[in-house]
């Protein structure tokens, strides 16, 4: 057995159970618990389970799957006295085509064949609520952006979350109150893409668990309240080659970085189906807030879809600003990286450069600069995905399952709107959305 898979000191710590964690097509953690003594079996042979009721997995007629633990992800949950581990799904001794973590792994192998290793640093935002028995949400503080005094009632909770993060391998870097009342952000250190996807899942688990222990409900829903800022998940992305940052050029970004960025801009419309995969995501992507809706890029421009942050040394990167934390990080990262790789292979040049506030530009001025608009709904995003071979390829054989699941989701929402006499383009946050997405 691999040394990293051994549970050193398990007996002395009193751990009795192990959670085997994977995610469904929505990025929602699923799994099972086994006695801690089965850890070696979970690593070497795998644990069988029925995947028929997992969203996006096999149908009931052919649903026997195997979970194999990845020992590099082993962590112990301090407040619960259990261990947890991520892994891969197998069917008939082969990697399972619908396993989101396996899909990202396959994409990273394609990058490695081109000599690249991807690093991603996310910035997931969340709200804290007090909730009664209905969907009437109460904001527990009146703080605003970067408030640090009495208006920010949740600063102790943020600190507690940050103190638990290292137990899961996350390194907290910055904690602060966000723009919205009771909205927060805790940034953690970037890592290799697969590890970062795991970290996003772990971070959401930590935040929700600690919030619940302290009498709050934490939500990463993109737009839980109409008229309030939405929850985003900006992604800082770089590619490395031969141990060096491939995005560093002689004067600013390298050609590789510009081609990579151009690939994302080229496929941006289809990418939103993965980076903003819910009906509610498009209540956030509206003009007037920080969330970008115009396909453009700039060096300091926070209204652009892609921003180039100032950097020193090895810090060269791009910031992709439209993703939100409802995204399945494995699928979203896979799609983004394949789009960027397409830009590198085709040597695409980024268009729609702008350093002024895109929201304040006239439609005529945007047209002159070639600035297009992201899809305005999940339905529109799915139509764009159907036309984009590169992004579809990132999903592999899971594409059909993803489309089937998401088209049903869009249809259910439009039927709800019709039953309530609401227009399809309403920006109000409905009870249907709260029931479906509050716990993403």
């Amino acid at each position: 057995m691999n040394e990293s898979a051994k549970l050193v000191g398990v007996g002395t710590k009193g751990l009795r159970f192990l959670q085997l964690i994977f995610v469904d097509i929505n990025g929602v953690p699923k799994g099972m618990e086994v006695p801690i003594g089965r850890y070696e079996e979970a690593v070497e042979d795998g644990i069988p389970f029925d995947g028929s009721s997992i969203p996006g997995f096999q149908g009931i007629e052919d649903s026997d799957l195997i979970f194999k633990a990845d020992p590099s992800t082993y962590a112990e949950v301090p407040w619960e006295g259990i261990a947890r581990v991520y892994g891969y799904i197998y069917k008939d001794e082969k990697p399972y085509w619908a396993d989101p973590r396996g899909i990202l792994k396959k994409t990273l192998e394609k990058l490695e064949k081109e000599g690249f290793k991807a690093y991603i640093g996310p910035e997931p935002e969340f709200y804290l609520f007090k909730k009664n028995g209905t969907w009437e949400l109460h904001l527990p503080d009146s703080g605003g952006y970067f408030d640090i005094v009495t208006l920010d009632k949740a600063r102790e909770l943020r600190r507690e979350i940050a103190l638990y993060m290292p137990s899961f391998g996350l390194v907290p870097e910055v904690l602060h109150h966000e723009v919205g009342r009771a909205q927060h952000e805790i940034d953690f250190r970037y890592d290799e893409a697969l590890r970062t996807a795991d970290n996003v899942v772990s971070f959401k688990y930590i935040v929700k668990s600690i919030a619940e222990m302290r009498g709050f409900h934490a939500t990463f829903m993109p737009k839980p309240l109409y008229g309030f800022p939405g929850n985003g998940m900006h992604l800082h992305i770089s590619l490395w080659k031969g141990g060096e940052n491939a995005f560093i050029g002689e004067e600013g970004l390298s050609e590789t970085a510009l081609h990579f960025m151009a690939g994302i801009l080229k496929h941006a419309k289809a990418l939103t189906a993965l980076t903003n995969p819910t009906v509610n995501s498009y209540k956030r992507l509206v003009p007037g807030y920080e969330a970008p809706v115009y396909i453009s890029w700039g060096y300091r421009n926070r209204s652009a879809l892609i921003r180039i942050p100032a950097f020193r040394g090895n810090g060269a990167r791009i910031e992709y600003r439209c993703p939100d934390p409802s995204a399945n990080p494995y699928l979203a990262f896979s799609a983004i990286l394949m789009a960027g790789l397409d830009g590198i292979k085709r040597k695409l040049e980024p268009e729609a450069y702008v350093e002024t506030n895109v929201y304040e530009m006239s439609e005529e001025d945007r047209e002159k600069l070639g600035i297009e608009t992201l899809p305005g709904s999940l339905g529109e995003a799915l139509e764009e995905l159907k036309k984009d071979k590169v992004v579809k390829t990132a999903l592999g054989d899971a594409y059909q399952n993803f489309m089937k699941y998401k088209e049903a989701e869009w249809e259910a929402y439009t039927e709800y709107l019709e039953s309530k006499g609401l227009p399809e383009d309403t920006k109000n946050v409905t009870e249907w959305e709260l029931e479906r997405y509050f716990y993403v």
Side-chain angles (χ1 to χ4, degrees):
M1 181 177 181
N2 189 306
E3 285 298 311
S4 63
K6 293 181 179 178
L7 293 179
V8 179
V10 165
T12 59
K13 295 181 181 179
L15 297 175
R16 295 183 178 181
F17 292 96
L18 173 69
Q19 290 183 338
L20 310 177
I21 308 295
F22 58 93
V23 302
D24 66 16
I25 203 166
N26 296 308
V28 175
K30 302 290 184 180
M32 49 193 162
E33 290 188 5
V34 297
I36 199 71
R38 297 190 72 187
Y39 183 26
E40 183 172 351
E41 178 187 354
V43 172
E44 296 187 348
D45 301 322
I47 304 295
F49 71 98
D50 174 9
S52 62
S53 296
I54 304 297
F57 278 25
Q58 292 286 117
I60 194 169
E61 72 282 354
D62 189 18
S63 57
D64 291 334
L65 302 175
I66 299 288
F67 175 95
K68 286 191 176 182
D70 177 353
S72 70
T73 67
Y74 173 83
E76 295 171 2
V77 184
W79 60 84
E80 204 167 348
I82 60 172
R84 66 199 311 253
V85 67
Y86 297 108
Y88 296 104
I89 308 300
Y90 288 80
K91 179 172 177 58
D92 299 328
E93 299 184 357
K94 297 179 181 179
Y96 180 47
W97 52 267
D99 174 20
R101 196 166 187 265
I103 290 171
L104 177 56
K105 180 184 178 184
K106 192 172 181 179
T107 293
L108 297 178
E109 289 170 351
K110 293 178 181 178
L111 272 180
E112 288 174 5
K113 287 182 180 179
E114 302 296 327
F116 295 115
K117 181 175 287 188
Y119 286 84
I120 299 178
E123 298 178 348
E125 298 168 335
F126 60 94
Y127 273 91
L128 291 173
F129 290 104
K130 291 282 190 178
K131 180 178 173 295
N132 59 21
T134 67
W135 283 111
E136 184 180 348
L137 304 175
H138 301 277
L139 298 167
D141 74 58
S142 57
Y145 191 64
F146 267 49
D147 278 345
I148 58 174
V149 288
T150 54
L151 293 178
D152 180 6
K153 304 295 185 184
R155 57 191 182 277
E156 289 295 335
L157 181 58
R158 284 201 306 271
R159 294 167 188 161
E160 186 175 4
I161 291 168
L163 290 173
Y164 277 123
M165 287 167 63
S167 297
F168 295 80
L170 285 77
V171 180
E173 293 193 324
V174 179
L175 300 67
H176 66 89
H177 200 291
E178 258 298 340
V179 176
R181 287 176 53 196
Q183 187 185 32
H184 307 273
E185 182 176 315
I186 302 175
D187 298 333
F188 48 93
R189 186 171 299 170
Y190 72 91
D191 211 323
E192 295 181 18
L194 182 62
R195 181 68 180 182
T196 295
D198 293 339
N199 286 345
V200 169
V201 178
S202 294
F203 178 72
K204 292 166 72 173
Y205 168 72
I206 297 166
V207 170
K208 292 175 184 179
S209 298
I210 303 306
E212 183 180 9
M213 287 164 55
R214 303 296 172 243
F216 294 98
H217 290 276
T219 183
F220 292 85
M221 184 176 175
K223 190 79 169 182
L225 292 171
Y226 175 77
F228 284 73
N231 287 324
M233 186 173 69
H234 302 166
L235 300 176
H236 293 256
I237 308 169
S238 62
L239 297 184
W240 289 59
K241 194 170 191 175
E244 296 183 355
N245 189 338
F247 279 13
I248 298 177
E250 293 182 4
E251 296 181 5
L253 289 185
S254 67
E255 287 295 310
T256 296
L258 293 174
H259 295 326
F260 182 87
M261 178 171 61
I264 293 177
L265 293 170
K266 181 73 174 177
H267 299 284
K269 292 182 181 181
L271 284 173
T272 56
L274 283 305
T275 60
N276 308 86
T278 67
V279 166
N280 185 252
S281 295
Y282 298 87
K283 307 294 177 74
R284 168 181 169 259
L285 296 179
V286 294
Y289 294 91
E290 280 196 28
V293 298
Y294 298 113
I295 303 172
S296 57
W297 71 283
Y299 278 91
R300 294 168 295 278
N301 192 350
R302 294 180 184 272
S303 68
L305 179 63
I306 297 179
R307 185 178 77 94
I308 313 303
F311 67 88
R312 294 178 295 175
N314 282 324
R317 64 196 187 279
I318 66 169
E319 180 187 12
Y320 190 29
R321 295 176 57 80
C322 75
D324 69 55
S326 73
N328 181 326
Y330 304 101
L331 300 184
F333 291 2
S334 181
I336 292 167
L337 294 172
M338 286 298 289
L341 183 60
D342 181 57
I344 293 173
K345 288 183 174 181
R346 295 167 57 191
K347 297 188 183 302
L348 299 178
E349 296 295 335
E351 300 177 353
Y353 168 76
V354 62
E355 289 297 349
T356 56
N357 189 334
V358 188
Y359 291 130
E360 296 178 356
M361 296 172 64
S362 67
E363 186 175 346
E364 182 181 1
D365 287 339
R366 288 196 296 269
E367 287 181 359
K368 287 180 181 178
L369 291 171
I371 298 175
E372 298 186 61
T373 306
L374 292 175
S377 69
L378 177 61
E380 290 181 19
L382 294 175
E383 290 303 313
E384 293 293 339
L385 177 57
K386 290 177 182 178
K387 299 182 289 186
D388 195 306
K389 292 182 180 179
V390 170
V391 180
K392 287 162 64 174
T393 299
L395 295 178
D397 293 335
Y399 165 72
Q400 293 295 342
N401 277 27
F402 180 85
M403 285 298 300
K404 181 179 179 181
Y405 190 88
K406 286 298 174 180
E407 285 182 329
E409 185 174 322
W410 175 246
E411 183 179 353
Y413 173 66
T414 55
E415 288 177 355
Y416 168 84
L417 293 179
E418 185 176 351
S419 71
K420 298 294 183 181
L422 296 171
E424 190 174 291
D425 62 352
T426 180
K427 295 305 176 184
N428 289 322
V429 178
T430 64
E431 187 170 317
W432 185 94
E433 294 165 77
L434 287 165
E435 290 177 351
R436 187 157 190 144
Y437 304 126
F438 189 82
Y439 299 103
V440 296

